[in-house]
Amino acid sequence: QVQLVESGGGLVQAGGSLRLSCAASGSIFSMGWYRQAPGKQRELVAGITRGGMTNYGDSVKGRFTISRDNAKNTVYLQMNSLKPEDTAVYYCNAEKGRIYWGQGTQVTVSS
């Protein structure tokens, strides 16, 4: 069983930055961030393999950066140039035999 603990969400003005963190309770393989806005489906924000290969959703490319610290079993999401449409609950996920999800952290971007 893997537990994921997210932190770093909050309220920020458009154009600002936030950094999300997600700490896993054990060694994991791929990790990623998804988000879900009200009335919308959950969508991929960014993913990273244990080896450091990354992929991003089209709407965040060039603005968000995912990284990880394998020694700390932690993944980070640096979000720059935030837009109101980035407002959502952000969920960390991790794969270790199955998919695990964090509890979610709210990110609100005001215009």
Side-chain angles (χ1 to χ4, degrees):
Q1 189 78 3
V2 175
Q3 292 184 332
L4 303 174
V5 179
E6 300 142 335
S7 61
L11 173 64
V12 65
Q13 288 188 331
S17 298
L18 282 175
R19 190 173 86 146
L20 306 182
S21 299
C22 174
S25 59
S27 176
I28 35 72
F29 300 127
S30 296
M31 297 187 78
W33 290 95
Y34 284 71
R35 67 186 182 188
Q36 188 166 18
K40 295 188 176 181
Q41 289 188 332
R42 191 171 295 191
E43 64 174 358
L44 171 71
V45 176
I48 186 167
T49 67
R50 187 169 179 82
M53 292 183 63
T54 60
N55 65 301
Y56 295 91
D58 289 342
S59 61
V60 306
K61 286 179 181 177
R63 299 188 298 123
F64 291 11
T65 302
I66 190 170
S67 60
R68 66 187 289 168
D69 183 334
N70 290 334
K72 296 181 179 179
N73 296 320
T74 299
V75 64
Y76 306 97
L77 184 68
Q78 178 66 44
M79 305 185 293
N80 298 327
S81 302
L82 283 160
K83 304 175 181 179
E85 51 263 45
D86 294 317
T87 296
V89 178
Y90 284 68
Y91 296 92
C92 173
N93 89 339
E95 185 270 324
K96 185 176 184 180
R98 49 156 283 193
I99 300 298
Y100 296 87
W101 291 94
Q103 79 282 0
T105 185
Q106 177 70 46
V107 171
T108 302
V109 184
S110 63
S111 57

